[in-house]
Amino acid sequence: MDLKTHQDWLVHFYKQRQWYQYSPFIRLNFLTEEVGEVSRAIRAFEIGRDHPGDPKMTAPELTANLKEELADVLDQVLIMSRQYEIEPEELLRASEAKLQARFKSTGRD
């Protein structure tokens, strides 16, 4: 599956549940929430969590949780990019162009 196909599926899924109509400003709050969940997943993975309400997780469970949270962040970015009519591939090209331009003169390749 590619990003565009997933984005199309995701928009359809969100529209069916009346989740798509939220403004990008509100969606930014959802993205922030998801980034916090990535932070928590990485903390659990790297240093653990010593909280009585959190069950102990195995390494595969920690990895699965991190994948889930990273996917949630990606989904929020894909929804916002669709709301601004920016294709996912444009995001990838913009990222590469920015980094190549920024580090071109440093001799790093």
Side-chain angles (χ1 to χ4, degrees), residues 20-106:
Y20 186 77
Q21 80 280 2
Y22 295 115
S23 73
F25 189 72
I26 291 172
R27 188 138 318 276
L28 181 59
N29 289 305
F30 297 154
L31 175 60
T32 301
E33 178 182 341
E34 296 300 346
V35 169
E37 291 174 10
V38 168
S39 177
R40 185 176 186 169
I42 288 174
R43 177 182 175 198
F45 197 94
E46 293 296 326
I47 63 172
R49 294 222 355 121
D50 187 17
H51 188 280
D54 288 347
K56 298 291 183 201
M57 296 172 77
T58 65
E61 289 171 330
L62 290 167
T63 299
N65 183 52
L66 180 56
K67 285 180 187 178
E68 178 183 330
E69 300 306 341
L70 287 169
D72 289 347
V73 168
L74 179 60
D75 285 350
Q76 291 303 318
V77 170
L78 290 172
I79 290 293
M80 287 188 348
S81 69
R82 174 62 65 86
Q83 288 178 325
Y84 284 104
E85 299 179 2
I86 300 169
E87 294 297 324
E89 292 78 14
E90 290 179 59
L91 300 174
L92 301 178
R93 284 191 295 272
S95 172
E96 285 186 22
K98 176 182 81 174
L99 291 171
Q100 287 173 346
R102 183 177 291 167
F103 295 100
K104 187 175 187 174
S105 63
T106 65

